[in-house]
Amino acid sequence: MGVVLRRLVAGLAAIVLVAEAAVLALVHIVLGETTRNQSMSIAGMDPDVMSTATYAMGAGIGAFLLLCAVLLAVAAVRDRAPGTFARVVLVTAAVTHGVLGALAVGLVGWGAFAVMMVILCLLVLTLMLYAAQGAAGAPSAGPSGGQGAPGPQDAPPPPYGELKPTNP
């Protein structure tokens, strides 16, 4: 059941991030075209620079979200915890979605906040499920290199309050 849940959540998060990348790229294309067609300018900036920057921002956000989706899809297909680089990228995406969700409440409304929080939950749940899998599934490599009978160093620590027996 745990394997199916991990893969399902990671795959669903990948699909959602691909959809989000497409929507954000489309929004930035529309904003860039609107800026260019209306010859809009803020504080005397060149409208062509503003529309080009809008296109570039859309491409950057889309590429970042597609990278996150690929990392999640690889984790789902292999059923292995993401590596250090992938974890950093996914945590960055989660934090970004949290901040954007907080901003979305005031700027767009509660619907946008809910969407951002669903994506945030999928990212965090994926990271937590794979972290739990890594903690539970990792064999202890003691002094024997993980082979043979477990030694006293491989024993779990005693419960809080109990004294650990010492060997002279």
Side-chain angles (χ1 to χ4, degrees):
M1 180 65 180
V3 173
V4 173
L5 181 64
R6 278 193 309 265
R7 287 181 151 184
L8 179 68
V9 170
L12 183 61
I15 292 168
V16 168
L17 287 179
V18 168
E20 182 185 13
V23 167
L24 285 177
L26 180 65
V27 165
H28 280 82
I29 289 171
V30 169
L31 288 174
E33 281 298 311
T34 304
T35 303
R36 182 170 302 215
N37 293 338
Q38 297 290 325
S39 243
M40 293 179 181
S41 176
I42 297 176
M45 288 183 65
D46 183 18
D48 290 331
V49 171
M50 290 179 57
S51 64
T52 303
T54 303
Y55 295 142
M57 189 64 169
I61 291 172
F64 177 71
L65 291 173
L66 288 177
L67 172 65
C68 292
V70 166
L71 295 173
L72 287 168
V74 167
V77 168
R78 292 183 180 172
D79 194 36
R80 298 179 84 182
T84 304
F85 173 75
R87 279 186 150 335
V88 169
V89 170
L90 294 174
V91 167
T92 302
V95 170
T96 303
H97 279 87
V99 171
L100 288 177
L103 291 173
V105 172
L107 297 174
V108 183
W110 288 103
F113 172 77
V115 169
M116 287 294 170
M117 292 304 107
V118 166
I119 297 170
L120 171 68
C121 289
L122 286 171
L123 288 168
V124 171
L125 184 59
T126 300
L127 289 168
M128 296 301 292
L129 287 172
Y130 279 106
Q133 175 234 0
S140 173
S144 62
Q147 300 173 1
Q153 294 84 0
D154 295 331
Y160 182 74
E162 290 184 22
L163 295 176
K164 183 178 178 180
T166 58
N167 292 337

